[in-house]
Amino acid sequence: MRVPLSWLREYVDLAADATPEQVLEALVTVGFEEEDVHRFEIAGPVVVGQVVSLEAEPQSNGKTINWCQVDVGEANGGVRGIVCGAHNFVAGDKVVVTLPGAVLPGPFPIAARKTYGHVSDGMIASARELGLGDEHNGIVVLSDLGIDAPVGTDAIALLGLDDVAVEINVTPDRGYAFSLRGVAREYSHATGADFRDPAERDFAELQPGSGHTAIVDDQAPVRGRVGASEFVTRVVRDVDPSRPTPPWMIARLSLAGMRSLGVLIDITNYVMLELGQPLHGYDLDKLAGGITVRRATPGEKMKTLDGVERALHVEDLLITDESGPIGLAGVMGGGTTEMSETTRNVLIEAAIFDPTTIARSARRHKLPSEASKRFERGVDPLIPFVAARRVADLMVELAGGTLTEEGGALFTEVFVSDIELPAGFVQGLIGVDYTDAEITGALTTIGAEVAASEAGWTVIPPTWRPDLTDKWTLAEEVARIHGLDRIPSVLPTPPSGRGLTAHQQGRRRVADALAAAGLVETPAFPFTTEAQNDLHGSASGEHLPSIRLANPLDGQAPYLRRSLIPGLLQTAHRNIARGLTDISIFETGVVFLPEPGVEYGTDDVPPLGERPSDEKLAELNASIPPQHRHVAVLLTGNVTPRQPGRPAEAAGLAEALDAVRVIAAAAGVEIDVVQAERAALHPGRTGALRVGDEEVGYVGELHPVVADDADLPGRATVLELDLDRILSLAGGRIVAASLSTFTAATQDVSLTVPADVPAGEVRAALAEGAGALLESVRLVDDYRGEGVLDGSKSLTFALRFRADDRTLTAAEATEAKLAGVAVAAERFGAALRD
């Protein structure tokens, strides 16, 4: 909200020397955020001049210029010669002259310069050049604006161009501050300055008369609230739309961020900014019959003021006459009844519309407006009568109209629910020892009615504050009015025994370990397609149930993910498209695994502002599908770039298995890899990840077709693990094993086994047979070639043995090794290779 200071001074005592920064500082103390300071980009000398003479001089380019002699006053050099291309003035007219040294918006510095055979000693300005609007067909003639100032007068102050506006950010719950009335009231709260309410008028003069009462025919209220609760109309006849808008009004509108669009429209916009009540003016002679407020019918269309024909939704609230829709209520008027240069009689509308209806219509049609911004936040229900009369008065004053007894008023009784505020509640919530007088004083200051009750106070909020709905919001108002700086900064003491759970600590360890290993965490949106869920959510690629969102952010990805891999693929694609081809990324996140045949979701949503019962919470939890936290990794490109003397090393299964080991160490489990198949992964390059006999994930190279569909140019390796399950299998606290001080005994063993026997299973057999003396066993070679029978392979393992109480002899290590070989021979027919 932009607030011109000259306008603000009309409603609150503001010191003449108050700077914009001081005003912003005061408004910040009552909860607003400062945004900016706006000024007209103009500097003098800009003065009133009188045209003494002008001579028309045709030019060779077909243009005719006027060589003018303009009196700018003795103090400014007397009569000056100025070249002007406009033709809407005559000798004797008073105009606005920018003298050499002046700077106009742009910036556009003014200097004496030779043009068209003359030295132009200044410039006669148009409205657009001064920043007073878009009019550029001629210069500003002061008599057209009703101004007759002495020659030499400072035109910047005369036209209101010396004004300045402060801009504040208005939060959605404080719609009343989208008006000068609201901001002036808040400045009064901040400084104690006297506030003069522009809405205070004799109720008798606010009665609109009769003959134009609207009808509200809302057959389908949204959430049970009728679309229009008030609809006030007034008629002003014999207006002159050709009259100029006064410069002071144009200046204020411009500083407030609005363009001048003619005196009639400017007046409605001015009053909206002044009082916070959106208004609309209809050309009364274009109306066909009376006004009816109703919902749109299926297939109905209308053309709005911006010239766009819009297909209407049955929830849209319309202003209609006998010809059909003439306005999209609370959002934008229609083109058929708009005020124009031919308008002579005006019907003024000031209404209260349902905020939900207006908000939905504005978003549905992508048509945010100054009116919808106010209606969707809530407008004071007592202001329409005042606003309609204020517009009528200004149309009489500035457009020469005549106020009639014609009009109408449709309204309902305004009822504001009272709120019980217990004694001691504010102090307990805010943490400040406010006195009772401070509490009641703050609430009275904001316009509330406060009465003592047995438990404390009964408070009736003011009509312009629909955001005050309970004792908590009242407590916030007390804190705001008396200064948020009074709230002490106290670090709360946490109760003993609290902190991160074991699973939370485990998840953090895993994420930290992967990041420390050089991978980058890339959280992604949990939305995907059904096809991606089927491909990556199951080993076979079969169809599995997925949760479809009722209102997805992206209509092409309306399902909640069953796997983290689709999100990593999208992230990798975006990075590769931007030239980052070496990628090592991971994500820890929730996947959604609905069970077949179970219906999830509920339409029975409990009301806000109160805690649901335990039974209701259990019902809501039961309506949510199982959510498991997974961890996934994607590697593509090179892990080591090419460098002098060393070729690039591509990321592959070895690096993915290293990531598996990092996760296992951080989680405190041992993860084994066994041969497996998955629809999305390359045959023969896929492994299942197990903890004991339980499968907890998979690892492998993406199938070339899948990688190509994801626009990945090379090989990509992925892994995904059920992190929650891994941490559960890890058990309780991890105790570090003691380190033996005795020397290890190392031996190698080469075994010939059938080619289809997984090396991991041979390794497990060796470990089982070797017993407790075996400290580690690692596959170091897989040989298939000369010296090995067809259909067989030679696996070489490095074994390390160690005892806790002695140094092992070679014989003891050999005995343990052969015991392992015996188990492998029994299970797989393994034979020692010479």
Side-chain angles (χ1 to χ4, degrees):
M1 175 67 185
R2 296 185 180 186
V3 184
L5 296 192
S6 68
W7 204 350
L8 185 64
R9 284 190 176 92
E10 293 186 6
Y11 312 127
V12 67
D13 288 342
L14 184 64
D17 59 349
T19 65
E21 291 72 22
Q22 291 171 333
V23 174
L24 284 172
E25 183 179 356
L27 293 174
V28 166
T29 64
V30 286
F32 292 109
E33 297 177 6
E34 65 175 277
E35 290 288 334
D36 205 350
V37 176
H38 299 272
R39 296 178 171 87
F40 287 102
E41 299 176 356
I42 188 170
V46 180
V47 300
V48 174
Q50 187 168 29
V51 179
V52 177
S53 65
L54 69 161
E55 298 178 15
E57 296 182 356
Q59 304 296 312
S60 59
N61 60 5
K63 183 178 180 180
T64 299
I65 60 98
N66 290 311
W67 171 237
C68 308
Q69 300 298 313
V70 184
D71 183 5
V72 294
E74 291 299 327
N76 298 306
V79 177
R80 296 189 181 220
I82 298 176
V83 173
C84 182
H87 301 280
N88 65 318
F89 63 101
V90 296
D93 282 342
K94 290 183 177 179
V95 294
V96 177
V97 180
T98 57
L99 299 177
V103 179
L104 297 182
F108 178 43
I110 302 300
R113 63 190 182 94
K114 187 172 183 180
T115 179
Y116 295 110
H118 301 282
V119 175
S120 184
D121 200 12
M123 185 180 77
I124 305 175
S126 69
R128 188 169 72 181
E129 290 163 340
L130 294 170
L132 281 175
D134 294 331
E135 179 61 43
H136 196 56
N137 294 327
I139 62 168
V140 174
V141 178
L142 293 179
S143 60
D144 292 343
L145 302 179
I147 297 175
D148 184 14
V151 170
T153 301
D154 180 7
I156 293 179
L158 181 69
L159 299 176
L161 300 177
D162 57 346
D163 202 358
V164 60
V166 297
E167 183 176 0
I168 56 174
N169 180 36
V170 178
T171 53
D173 60 328
R174 301 176 71 181
Y176 67 94
F178 276 118
S179 67
L180 268 293
R181 179 194 185 208
V183 175
R185 190 190 303 274
E186 289 297 326
Y187 184 82
S188 172
H189 297 340
T191 63
D194 288 339
F195 168 67
R196 296 172 292 278
D197 191 350
E200 285 188 359
R201 298 190 63 161
D202 184 0
F203 188 72
E205 67 178 5
L206 301 179
Q207 300 311 301
S210 60
H212 293 278
T213 302
I215 298 172
V216 176
D217 183 21
D218 189 354
Q219 299 296 322
V222 175
R223 296 181 180 177
R225 298 185 60 173
V226 175
S229 57
E230 293 185 46
F231 203 99
V232 178
T233 60
R234 299 199 78 119
V235 173
V236 178
R237 294 188 177 275
D238 301 324
V239 296
D240 182 2
S242 65
R243 286 197 179 188
T245 302
W248 58 265
M249 181 177 283
I250 295 177
R252 288 180 176 181
L253 289 173
S254 178
L255 283 175
M258 304 189 78
R259 295 184 299 117
S260 176
L261 299 172
V263 65
L264 299 180
I265 297 175
D266 289 348
I267 288 171
T268 59
N269 286 337
Y270 185 84
V271 176
M272 177 185 68
L273 293 172
E274 181 180 66
L275 300 176
Q277 168 68 59
L279 299 117
H280 188 70
Y282 301 92
D283 188 324
L284 182 59
D285 298 324
K286 296 178 182 178
L287 284 173
I291 288 179
T292 299
V293 183
R294 61 169 174 83
R295 301 283 171 177
T297 58
E300 195 166 16
K301 296 181 179 181
M302 73 164 290
K303 182 178 288 188
T304 46
L305 283 173
D306 55 2
V308 177
E309 186 174 62
R310 302 183 183 276
L312 302 174
H313 188 275
V314 292
E315 272 192 4
D316 289 333
L317 192 68
L318 304 179
I319 312 298
T320 68
D321 64 5
E322 293 178 1
S323 67
I326 59 173
L328 187 56
V331 180
M332 183 174 286
T336 59
T337 58
E338 66 176 315
M339 296 183 294
S340 65
E341 64 277 1
T342 62
T343 299
R344 293 295 175 266
N345 303 303
V346 177
L347 178 73
I348 302 164
E349 167 212 302
I352 298 294
F353 297 118
D354 171 46
T356 302
T357 294
I358 303 308
R360 289 183 179 180
S361 288
R363 285 158 180 74
R364 184 180 300 117
H365 295 285
K366 297 179 174 61
L367 195 60
S369 64
E370 291 293 330
S372 66
K373 180 168 66 176
R374 288 164 173 80
F375 278 127
E376 63 190 33
R377 288 165 171 79
V379 174
D380 184 356
L382 298 184
I383 208 70
F385 287 88
V386 178
R389 178 58 190 258
R390 173 70 165 146
V391 170
D393 289 344
L394 287 174
M395 286 188 177
V396 171
E397 176 186 350
L398 304 179
T402 301
L403 180 61
T404 70
E405 296 298 322
E406 299 173 78
L410 176 71
F411 60 93
T412 57
E413 182 180 357
V414 176
F415 175 77
V416 181
S417 299
D418 56 39
I419 303 170
E420 289 297 324
L421 181 62
F425 175 78
V426 175
Q427 295 90 329
L429 180 67
I430 304 301
V432 176
D433 291 330
Y434 298 112
T435 66
D436 289 353
E438 285 180 315
I439 293 173
T440 57
L443 297 176
T444 303
T445 296
I446 65 171
E449 298 179 17
V450 183
S453 65
E454 292 183 4
W457 300 276
T458 299
V459 182
I460 301 178
T463 55
W464 58 85
R465 293 297 303 273
D467 58 306
L468 302 181
T469 56
D470 50 43
K471 58 185 178 182
W472 289 275
T473 52
L474 293 179
E476 290 173 358
E477 286 300 293
V478 174
R480 187 175 66 86
I481 294 301
H482 286 300
L484 301 178
D485 55 333
R486 287 185 60 180
I487 302 176
S489 298
V490 179
L491 186 65
T493 303
S496 60
R498 300 293 179 89
L500 297 178
T501 65
H503 272 223
Q504 289 171 332
Q505 292 174 349
R507 292 198 295 265
R508 289 195 179 188
R509 285 199 308 272
V510 169
D512 290 345
L514 287 172
L519 284 82
V520 178
E521 186 171 11
T522 57
F525 285 118
F527 313 123
T528 187
T529 65
E530 190 173 32
Q532 288 290 308
N533 269 344
D534 292 344
L535 178 62
H536 297 284
S538 67
S540 63
E542 62 183 311
H543 176 67
L544 293 174
S546 298
I547 297 296
R548 183 183 178 94
L549 297 172
N551 187 25
L553 289 177
D554 182 356
Q556 295 182 340
Y559 291 89
L560 293 174
R561 64 189 178 189
R562 293 185 62 97
S563 166
L564 301 182
I565 299 301
L568 291 177
L569 292 175
Q570 290 182 352
T571 302
H573 168 66
R574 283 195 296 271
N575 280 272
I576 291 172
R578 288 159 177 78
L580 304 175
T581 57
D582 299 332
I583 297 171
S584 301
I585 57 177
F586 78 96
E587 180 181 2
T588 61
V590 170
V591 297
F592 305 84
L593 307 175
E595 299 175 1
V598 179
E599 293 291 333
Y600 295 99
T602 179
D603 294 328
D604 185 15
V605 180
L608 299 176
E610 61 182 59
R611 185 184 185 278
S613 65
D614 292 341
E615 294 77 11
K616 187 62 181 178
L617 287 174
E619 179 186 339
L620 291 172
N621 286 330
S623 69
I624 300 173
Q627 301 177 44
H628 296 206
R629 188 171 293 273
H630 283 199
V631 57
V633 171
L634 184 146
L635 306 169
T636 188
N638 297 323
V639 289
T640 302
R642 188 181 68 177
Q643 48 195 299
R646 182 176 180 180
E649 295 181 15
L653 274 173
E655 287 70 32
L657 291 172
D658 283 341
V660 172
R661 285 188 279 271
V662 168
I663 295 170
V669 296
E670 289 189 10
I671 298 179
D672 297 319
V673 186
V674 297
Q675 194 81 22
E677 291 186 1
R678 289 186 71 88
L681 302 184
H682 197 298
R685 300 176 187 173
T686 303
L689 303 177
R690 293 180 178 175
V691 175
D693 294 330
E694 184 172 342
E695 185 171 325
V696 294
Y698 60 89
V699 62
E701 183 181 312
L702 275 182
H703 194 288
V705 174
V706 176
D708 187 61
D709 289 343
D711 293 327
L712 302 185
R715 292 182 175 181
T717 309
V718 297
L719 71 91
E720 184 166 15
L721 288 158
D722 187 335
L723 185 55
D724 283 344
R725 187 59 187 151
I726 290 174
L727 295 174
S728 297
L729 293 171
R733 180 175 300 176
I734 301 172
V735 179
S738 60
L739 298 177
S740 174
T741 60
F742 294 97
T743 305
T746 59
Q747 294 194 15
D748 290 346
V749 61
S750 295
L751 300 176
T752 303
V753 296
D756 60 351
V757 175
E761 295 185 12
V762 178
R763 176 186 175 279
L766 282 172
E768 181 181 338
L773 294 179
L774 182 65
E775 187 175 75
S776 74
V777 54
R778 181 167 54 89
L779 178 68
V780 296
D781 188 38
D782 182 337
Y783 174 73
R784 309 177 196 206
E786 185 178 351
V788 177
L789 296 176
D790 290 342
S792 298
K793 61 184 177 182
S794 174
L795 302 177
T796 301
F797 295 91
L799 311 176
R800 186 171 67 239
F801 300 93
R802 196 191 308 264
D804 293 335
D805 56 351
R806 68 189 186 282
T807 299
L808 292 177
T809 65
E812 288 177 307
T814 300
E815 182 181 357
K817 177 185 74 173
L818 293 177
V821 171
V823 174
E826 179 183 352
R827 292 184 182 175
F828 310 113
L832 283 170
R833 181 174 173 228
D834 296 334

